[in-house]
Each structure stands twice: as C-alpha cells, then as structure tokens.
C-alpha cells in the first residue's frame, strides 16, 4: 500500500468518525438540528433568488452563513 493510499484511507476514516459524532450531536439536539436544516433551506432559497435586491440578498446570505456557523458551534459546544 502506497503512502498516498494510506493517507486517503486515514482521511476517509477521520471524516466518517467526525460525521458519526456530528450525527450523534444533532440527534441529541432535535431543535438545533431542525434549526440547522431550516437555515440551510433558507440559504438555498436565497441562492436561487434572482438578482441581488440592492445588496440585501447578499447580506441575507452572509447573515445566514453566520447563523449556520453559530448553530453548528452550539451543537459542538454541547459536548456530544
């Protein structure tokens, strides 16, 4: 097995472990998980919207990205 293959396997294993931890954390926090889903849906709608609406669409996307990041941080902070 080449070093590159070993590194790829290690990366996949780390990603799977992180995914399992995040899944466990969101499952233990259904309200935070629902909020995260809603924020991600809102972001998708904002991205799909036409034009920039005088900069307000871009500002809303930025604010939504910040809210998504804060929600994820809250889920991680809970220590699950």
């Amino acid at each position: 097995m080449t070093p590159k293959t070993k590194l790829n396997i290690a990366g996949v294993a780390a990603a799977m472990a992180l995914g399992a931890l995040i899944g466990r954390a969101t499952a233990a926090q259904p309200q935070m998980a629902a909020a995260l889903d809603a924020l991600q849906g809102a972001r998708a709608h904002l991205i799909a919207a036409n034009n920039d609406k005088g900069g307000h669409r871009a500002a809303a996307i930025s604010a939504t990205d910040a809210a998504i990041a804060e929600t994820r941080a809250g889920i991680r902070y809970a220590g699950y």
Side-chain angles (χ1 to χ4, degrees), residues 10-74:
V12 168
M16 289 174 64
L18 180 60
L21 288 174
I22 290 171
R24 182 174 164 221
T26 56
Q29 300 178 65
Q31 298 301 322
M32 292 293 278
L36 185 57
D37 287 343
L39 288 165
Q40 290 169 333
R43 186 181 193 285
H45 285 289
L46 289 165
I47 295 294
N50 294 330
N51 304 319
D52 193 35
K53 319 304 192 237
H56 296 289
R57 178 178 157 267
I61 291 168
S62 179
T64 304
D65 287 343
I68 288 169
E70 289 296 328
T71 304
R72 287 180 176 154

